[in-house]
CSV table of all heavy atoms in Angstrom, one decimal:
chain,number,residue,atom,x,y,z
A,1,SER,N,0.9,-1.2,0.0
A,1,SER,CA,0.0,0.0,0.0
A,1,SER,C,0.9,1.2,0.0
A,1,SER,O,2.1,1.2,0.4
A,1,SER,CB,-0.9,0.0,1.2
A,1,SER,OG,-0.2,0.0,2.4
A,2,GLY,N,0.3,2.3,-0.4
A,2,GLY,CA,1.0,3.6,-0.4
A,2,GLY,C,2.0,3.9,-1.5
A,2,GLY,O,2.8,4.8,-1.5
A,3,SER,N,1.9,3.0,-2.6
A,3,SER,CA,2.8,3.3,-3.8
A,3,SER,C,2.1,2.8,-5.0
A,3,SER,O,1.0,2.2,-4.9
A,3,SER,CB,4.1,2.5,-3.6
A,3,SER,OG,3.9,1.1,-3.7
A,4,ILE,N,2.6,3.2,-6.2
A,4,ILE,CA,2.1,2.7,-7.4
A,4,ILE,C,2.7,1.4,-7.7
A,4,ILE,O,3.8,1.3,-8.3
A,4,ILE,CB,2.4,3.7,-8.6
A,4,ILE,CG1,1.9,5.1,-8.2
A,4,ILE,CG2,1.7,3.3,-9.9
A,4,ILE,CD1,2.3,6.2,-9.2
A,5,PHE,N,2.0,0.4,-7.2
A,5,PHE,CA,2.6,-1.0,-7.1
A,5,PHE,C,3.1,-1.5,-8.5
A,5,PHE,O,4.2,-2.0,-8.6
A,5,PHE,CB,1.5,-1.9,-6.5
A,5,PHE,CG,2.0,-3.4,-6.5
A,5,PHE,CD1,2.8,-3.8,-5.4
A,5,PHE,CD2,1.6,-4.3,-7.4
A,5,PHE,CE1,3.2,-5.1,-5.3
A,5,PHE,CE2,1.9,-5.6,-7.3
A,5,PHE,CZ,2.8,-6.0,-6.3
A,6,ARG,N,2.3,-1.2,-9.5
A,6,ARG,CA,2.6,-1.9,-10.8
A,6,ARG,C,3.9,-1.5,-11.4
A,6,ARG,O,4.5,-2.2,-12.3
A,6,ARG,CB,1.5,-1.7,-11.8
A,6,ARG,CG,1.4,-0.2,-12.3
A,6,ARG,CD,0.2,0.0,-13.2
A,6,ARG,NE,0.2,1.3,-13.7
A,6,ARG,CZ,-0.3,2.3,-13.1
A,6,ARG,NH1,-0.9,2.2,-11.9
A,6,ARG,NH2,-0.4,3.5,-13.7
A,7,ILE,N,4.5,-0.3,-11.0
A,7,ILE,CA,5.7,0.2,-11.7
A,7,ILE,C,7.0,-0.3,-11.1
A,7,ILE,O,8.0,-0.1,-11.7
A,7,ILE,CB,5.7,1.7,-11.8
A,7,ILE,CG1,5.9,2.3,-10.4
A,7,ILE,CG2,4.4,2.2,-12.4
A,7,ILE,CD1,6.1,3.8,-10.4
A,8,TYR,N,6.9,-1.1,-10.0
A,8,TYR,CA,8.1,-1.5,-9.3
A,8,TYR,C,8.3,-3.0,-9.4
A,8,TYR,O,7.4,-3.8,-9.3
A,8,TYR,CB,8.1,-1.1,-7.8
A,8,TYR,CG,8.0,0.4,-7.6
A,8,TYR,CD1,6.9,1.0,-7.1
A,8,TYR,CD2,9.2,1.2,-7.9
A,8,TYR,CE1,6.9,2.4,-7.0
A,8,TYR,CE2,9.1,2.5,-7.7
A,8,TYR,CZ,8.0,3.2,-7.3
A,8,TYR,OH,8.0,4.5,-7.1
A,9,ALA,N,9.6,-3.4,-9.6
A,9,ALA,CA,9.9,-4.8,-9.4
A,9,ALA,C,9.8,-5.1,-7.9
A,9,ALA,O,9.9,-4.3,-7.0
A,9,ALA,CB,11.4,-5.0,-9.8
A,10,MET,N,9.5,-6.4,-7.7
A,10,MET,CA,9.3,-6.9,-6.3
A,10,MET,C,10.2,-8.1,-6.1
A,10,MET,O,10.4,-8.9,-7.1
A,10,MET,CB,7.8,-7.3,-6.1
A,10,MET,CG,6.9,-6.1,-6.2
A,10,MET,SD,7.0,-4.9,-4.9
A,10,MET,CE,6.7,-5.8,-3.4
A,11,GLY,N,10.7,-8.3,-4.9
A,11,GLY,CA,11.5,-9.4,-4.6
A,11,GLY,C,11.1,-10.1,-3.3
A,11,GLY,O,10.6,-9.5,-2.4
A,12,TRP,N,11.4,-11.4,-3.3
A,12,TRP,CA,11.3,-12.1,-2.0
A,12,TRP,C,12.8,-12.5,-1.6
A,12,TRP,O,13.5,-13.0,-2.4
A,12,TRP,CB,10.5,-13.4,-2.2
A,12,TRP,CG,9.0,-13.2,-2.2
A,12,TRP,CD1,8.2,-13.2,-3.3
A,12,TRP,CD2,8.2,-13.0,-1.1
A,12,TRP,NE1,6.9,-13.0,-2.9
A,12,TRP,CE2,6.9,-12.9,-1.6
A,12,TRP,CE3,8.4,-13.0,0.3
A,12,TRP,CZ2,5.8,-12.7,-0.7
A,12,TRP,CZ3,7.3,-12.8,1.1
A,12,TRP,CH2,6.0,-12.7,0.6
A,13,TYR,N,13.1,-12.2,-0.4
A,13,TYR,CA,14.4,-12.5,0.2
A,13,TYR,C,14.1,-13.4,1.4
A,13,TYR,O,13.0,-13.4,2.0
A,13,TYR,CB,15.1,-11.2,0.6
A,13,TYR,CG,15.5,-10.4,-0.6
A,13,TYR,CD1,14.6,-9.7,-1.3
A,13,TYR,CD2,16.9,-10.3,-0.9
A,13,TYR,CE1,15.0,-8.9,-2.4
A,13,TYR,CE2,17.3,-9.5,-2.0
A,13,TYR,CZ,16.4,-8.8,-2.7
A,13,TYR,OH,16.8,-8.1,-3.8
A,14,ARG,N,15.2,-14.1,1.9
A,14,ARG,CA,15.1,-14.8,3.1
A,14,ARG,C,16.4,-14.7,3.9
A,14,ARG,O,17.5,-14.5,3.3
A,14,ARG,CB,14.8,-16.3,2.8
A,14,ARG,CG,15.9,-17.1,2.1
A,14,ARG,CD,15.4,-18.5,1.8
A,14,ARG,NE,16.4,-19.3,1.1
A,14,ARG,CZ,16.2,-20.5,0.6
A,14,ARG,NH1,14.9,-21.0,0.6
A,14,ARG,NH2,17.1,-21.1,0.0
A,15,GLN,N,16.2,-14.9,5.2
A,15,GLN,CA,17.4,-14.8,6.1
A,15,GLN,C,17.2,-15.9,7.1
A,15,GLN,O,16.3,-15.9,7.9
A,15,GLN,CB,17.5,-13.5,6.8
A,15,GLN,CG,18.8,-13.3,7.6
A,15,GLN,CD,19.1,-11.9,7.9
A,15,GLN,OE1,18.2,-11.0,7.9
A,15,GLN,NE2,20.3,-11.6,8.2
A,16,ALA,N,18.2,-16.9,7.1
A,16,ALA,CA,18.2,-17.9,8.1
A,16,ALA,C,19.1,-17.5,9.2
A,16,ALA,O,20.0,-16.6,9.1
A,16,ALA,CB,18.8,-19.2,7.4
A,17,PRO,N,18.9,-18.1,10.4
A,17,PRO,CA,19.8,-17.7,11.6
A,17,PRO,C,21.3,-17.8,11.3
A,17,PRO,O,21.7,-18.9,10.7
A,17,PRO,CB,19.3,-18.7,12.6
A,17,PRO,CG,18.0,-19.1,12.2
A,17,PRO,CD,17.9,-19.1,10.7
A,18,GLY,N,22.0,-16.8,11.6
A,18,GLY,CA,23.4,-16.8,11.4
A,18,GLY,C,23.9,-16.6,9.9
A,18,GLY,O,25.1,-16.7,9.6
A,19,LYS,N,22.9,-16.3,9.0
A,19,LYS,CA,23.3,-16.2,7.6
A,19,LYS,C,22.9,-14.8,7.1
A,19,LYS,O,22.0,-14.2,7.7
A,19,LYS,CB,22.6,-17.3,6.8
A,19,LYS,CG,23.2,-18.7,7.1
A,19,LYS,CD,22.6,-19.7,6.1
A,19,LYS,CE,23.2,-21.1,6.3
A,19,LYS,NZ,22.8,-22.1,5.3
A,20,GLN,N,23.4,-14.4,6.0
A,20,GLN,CA,23.1,-13.2,5.4
A,20,GLN,C,21.7,-13.3,4.7
A,20,GLN,O,21.4,-14.4,4.2
A,20,GLN,CB,24.2,-12.7,4.4
A,20,GLN,CG,25.4,-12.3,5.0
A,20,GLN,CD,26.4,-11.6,4.0
A,20,GLN,OE1,26.4,-12.0,2.9
A,20,GLN,NE2,27.2,-10.7,4.5
A,21,ARG,N,21.1,-12.2,4.5
A,21,ARG,CA,19.8,-12.2,3.8
A,21,ARG,C,20.2,-12.4,2.3
A,21,ARG,O,21.1,-11.9,1.8
A,21,ARG,CB,19.1,-10.8,3.9
A,21,ARG,CG,17.7,-10.8,3.4
A,21,ARG,CD,17.0,-9.5,3.8
A,21,ARG,NE,16.9,-9.4,5.2
A,21,ARG,CZ,16.1,-8.4,5.8
A,21,ARG,NH1,15.5,-7.5,5.1
A,21,ARG,NH2,16.1,-8.3,7.1
A,22,GLU,N,19.4,-13.3,1.6
A,22,GLU,CA,19.6,-13.6,0.2
A,22,GLU,C,18.4,-13.5,-0.6
A,22,GLU,O,17.3,-13.7,-0.1
A,22,GLU,CB,20.2,-15.1,0.2
A,22,GLU,CG,19.2,-16.1,0.6
A,22,GLU,CD,19.7,-17.5,0.4
A,22,GLU,OE1,20.8,-17.7,-0.1
A,22,GLU,OE2,19.0,-18.5,0.8
A,23,LEU,N,18.6,-13.2,-1.9
A,23,LEU,CA,17.5,-13.1,-2.8
A,23,LEU,C,17.0,-14.5,-3.1
A,23,LEU,O,17.8,-15.4,-3.4
A,23,LEU,CB,18.0,-12.5,-4.1
A,23,LEU,CG,17.0,-12.5,-5.3
A,23,LEU,CD1,15.8,-11.6,-4.9
A,23,LEU,CD2,17.6,-12.0,-6.6
A,24,VAL,N,15.7,-14.7,-3.1
A,24,VAL,CA,15.0,-15.9,-3.4
A,24,VAL,C,14.5,-15.9,-4.8
A,24,VAL,O,14.7,-16.7,-5.7
A,24,VAL,CB,13.9,-16.3,-2.4
A,24,VAL,CG1,13.2,-17.5,-2.8
A,24,VAL,CG2,14.5,-16.4,-1.0
A,25,ALA,N,13.7,-14.8,-5.1
A,25,ALA,CA,13.0,-14.7,-6.4
A,25,ALA,C,12.7,-13.2,-6.6
A,25,ALA,O,12.5,-12.4,-5.6
A,25,ALA,CB,11.8,-15.5,-6.5
A,26,ARG,N,12.6,-12.8,-7.9
A,26,ARG,CA,12.4,-11.4,-8.2
A,26,ARG,C,11.4,-11.4,-9.4
A,26,ARG,O,11.5,-12.3,-10.3
A,26,ARG,CB,13.7,-10.7,-8.5
A,26,ARG,CG,13.5,-9.2,-8.9
A,26,ARG,CD,14.9,-8.7,-9.2
A,26,ARG,NE,14.8,-7.2,-9.5
A,26,ARG,CZ,14.5,-6.7,-10.7
A,26,ARG,NH1,14.3,-7.6,-11.7
A,26,ARG,NH2,14.5,-5.4,-10.9
A,27,ILE,N,10.5,-10.4,-9.4
A,27,ILE,CA,9.7,-10.3,-10.6
A,27,ILE,C,9.7,-8.8,-11.0
A,27,ILE,O,9.5,-7.9,-10.1
A,27,ILE,CB,8.2,-10.8,-10.3
A,27,ILE,CG1,7.4,-10.7,-11.6
A,27,ILE,CG2,7.6,-10.1,-9.1
A,27,ILE,CD1,6.1,-11.5,-11.4
A,28,SER,N,9.9,-8.5,-12.3
A,28,SER,CA,9.9,-7.2,-12.7
A,28,SER,C,8.5,-6.6,-12.9
A,28,SER,O,7.5,-7.3,-12.8
A,28,SER,CB,10.6,-7.1,-14.1
A,28,SER,OG,9.8,-7.7,-15.1
A,29,SER,N,8.5,-5.3,-13.2
A,29,SER,CA,7.2,-4.7,-13.4
A,29,SER,C,6.5,-5.3,-14.6
A,29,SER,O,5.2,-5.3,-14.6
A,29,SER,CB,7.3,-3.2,-13.6
A,29,SER,OG,8.2,-2.9,-14.7
A,30,GLY,N,7.2,-5.8,-15.5
A,30,GLY,CA,6.6,-6.4,-16.7
A,30,GLY,C,6.4,-7.9,-16.6
A,30,GLY,O,5.8,-8.5,-17.5
A,31,GLY,N,6.7,-8.5,-15.4
A,31,GLY,CA,6.5,-9.9,-15.2
A,31,GLY,C,7.6,-10.8,-15.4
A,31,GLY,O,7.4,-12.1,-15.2
A,32,SER,N,8.8,-10.3,-15.8
A,32,SER,CA,9.9,-11.2,-15.9
A,32,SER,C,10.4,-11.7,-14.5
A,32,SER,O,10.4,-10.9,-13.6
A,32,SER,CB,11.1,-10.5,-16.6
A,32,SER,OG,10.7,-10.1,-17.9
A,33,THR,N,10.8,-12.9,-14.5
A,33,THR,CA,11.2,-13.5,-13.2
A,33,THR,C,12.6,-14.0,-13.2
A,33,THR,O,13.2,-14.4,-14.3
A,33,THR,CB,10.3,-14.6,-12.8
A,33,THR,OG1,10.3,-15.7,-13.8
A,33,THR,CG2,8.8,-14.1,-12.7
A,34,ASN,N,13.2,-14.1,-12.0
A,34,ASN,CA,14.5,-14.8,-11.9
A,34,ASN,C,14.5,-15.4,-10.5
A,34,ASN,O,13.9,-14.9,-9.5
A,34,ASN,CB,15.7,-13.9,-12.2
A,34,ASN,CG,15.8,-12.7,-11.3
A,34,ASN,OD1,15.2,-11.7,-11.6
A,34,ASN,ND2,16.7,-12.8,-10.3
A,35,TYR,N,15.3,-16.5,-10.3
A,35,TYR,CA,15.3,-17.2,-9.1
A,35,TYR,C,16.7,-17.6,-8.6
A,35,TYR,O,17.6,-17.8,-9.5
A,35,TYR,CB,14.5,-18.6,-9.3
A,35,TYR,CG,13.0,-18.4,-9.6
A,35,TYR,CD1,12.6,-18.3,-11.0
A,35,TYR,CD2,12.1,-18.3,-8.6
A,35,TYR,CE1,11.3,-18.1,-11.3
A,35,TYR,CE2,10.7,-18.1,-8.9
A,35,TYR,CZ,10.4,-18.0,-10.3
A,35,TYR,OH,9.0,-17.8,-10.6
A,36,ALA,N,16.8,-17.8,-7.4
A,36,ALA,CA,18.1,-18.4,-6.8
A,36,ALA,C,18.1,-19.8,-7.3
A,36,ALA,O,17.1,-20.5,-7.4
A,36,ALA,CB,18.1,-18.3,-5.3
A,37,ASP,N,19.4,-20.3,-7.6
A,37,ASP,CA,19.5,-21.6,-8.1
A,37,ASP,C,18.9,-22.6,-7.1
A,37,ASP,O,18.4,-23.7,-7.5
A,37,ASP,CB,21.0,-21.9,-8.2
A,37,ASP,CG,21.6,-21.2,-9.5
A,37,ASP,OD1,20.8,-20.8,-10.3
A,37,ASP,OD2,22.8,-21.1,-9.5
A,38,SER,N,19.0,-22.3,-5.8
A,38,SER,CA,18.5,-23.3,-4.8
A,38,SER,C,17.0,-23.5,-4.8
A,38,SER,O,16.5,-24.5,-4.2
A,38,SER,CB,19.0,-22.8,-3.4
A,38,SER,OG,18.4,-21.5,-3.1
A,39,VAL,N,16.3,-22.6,-5.4
A,39,VAL,CA,14.8,-22.8,-5.4
A,39,VAL,C,14.2,-23.0,-6.8
A,39,VAL,O,13.0,-23.1,-7.0
A,39,VAL,CB,14.1,-21.5,-4.8
A,39,VAL,CG1,14.7,-21.3,-3.4
A,39,VAL,CG2,14.2,-20.3,-5.6
A,40,LYS,N,15.0,-22.9,-7.8
A,40,LYS,CA,14.5,-23.1,-9.2
A,40,LYS,C,13.8,-24.4,-9.4
A,40,LYS,O,14.3,-25.4,-8.9
A,40,LYS,CB,15.7,-23.0,-10.2
A,40,LYS,CG,16.1,-21.6,-10.5
A,40,LYS,CD,17.3,-21.6,-11.6
A,40,LYS,CE,17.8,-20.2,-11.8
A,40,LYS,NZ,19.0,-20.2,-12.7
A,41,GLY,N,12.6,-24.3,-10.0
A,41,GLY,CA,11.8,-25.5,-10.2
A,41,GLY,C,10.9,-25.9,-9.0
A,41,GLY,O,10.1,-26.7,-9.1
A,42,ARG,N,11.1,-25.2,-7.9
A,42,ARG,CA,10.3,-25.5,-6.7
A,42,ARG,C,9.5,-24.3,-6.3
A,42,ARG,O,8.3,-24.4,-5.8
A,42,ARG,CB,11.2,-25.9,-5.5
A,42,ARG,CG,12.0,-27.1,-5.7
A,42,ARG,CD,12.7,-27.6,-4.5
A,42,ARG,NE,13.7,-26.6,-3.9
A,42,ARG,CZ,13.6,-26.0,-2.7
A,42,ARG,NH1,12.6,-26.4,-1.9
A,42,ARG,NH2,14.5,-25.1,-2.3
A,43,PHE,N,10.0,-23.1,-6.5
A,43,PHE,CA,9.3,-21.9,-6.1
A,43,PHE,C,8.8,-21.1,-7.3
A,43,PHE,O,9.5,-21.1,-8.3
A,43,PHE,CB,10.2,-21.0,-5.3
A,43,PHE,CG,10.6,-21.4,-3.9
A,43,PHE,CD1,10.3,-22.7,-3.5
A,43,PHE,CD2,11.2,-20.6,-3.0
A,43,PHE,CE1,10.6,-23.2,-2.2
A,43,PHE,CE2,11.6,-21.0,-1.7
A,43,PHE,CZ,11.3,-22.3,-1.3
A,44,THR,N,7.7,-20.4,-7.2
A,44,THR,CA,7.2,-19.6,-8.3
A,44,THR,C,6.8,-18.2,-7.7
A,44,THR,O,6.0,-18.2,-6.8
A,44,THR,CB,6.0,-20.2,-9.0
A,44,THR,OG1,6.4,-21.5,-9.5
A,44,THR,CG2,5.5,-19.3,-10.1
A,45,ILE,N,7.3,-17.1,-8.3
A,45,ILE,CA,6.9,-15.8,-7.9
A,45,ILE,C,5.9,-15.3,-8.9
A,45,ILE,O,6.0,-15.5,-10.1
A,45,ILE,CB,8.1,-14.9,-7.8
A,45,ILE,CG1,7.7,-13.5,-7.2
A,45,ILE,CG2,8.8,-14.7,-9.1
A,45,ILE,CD1,8.9,-12.6,-6.8
């Protein structure tokens, strides 16, 4: 809320205990996607 949602790329990140935050998946404003190798084929953004 509070923004023009459709114009921004959005990402999902995760952080496990003792580890750095990492990119899981990203989707562009146009719908293009990319995934971390560890989740390819299992996760869908």
Side-chain angles (χ1 to χ4, degrees):
S1 61
S3 66
I4 306 174
F5 177 80
R6 69 182 185 279
I7 69 174
Y8 296 110
M10 298 293 296
W12 283 101
Y13 291 72
R14 67 186 180 188
Q15 188 166 19
K19 295 190 176 181
Q20 288 190 330
R21 192 172 296 189
E22 62 175 0
L23 174 68
V24 175
R26 181 182 181 276
I27 186 165
S28 72
S29 58
S32 298
T33 59
N34 60 280
Y35 297 91
D37 288 343
S38 59
V39 306
K40 280 180 183 176
R42 301 188 298 122
F43 290 11
T44 302
I45 188 171

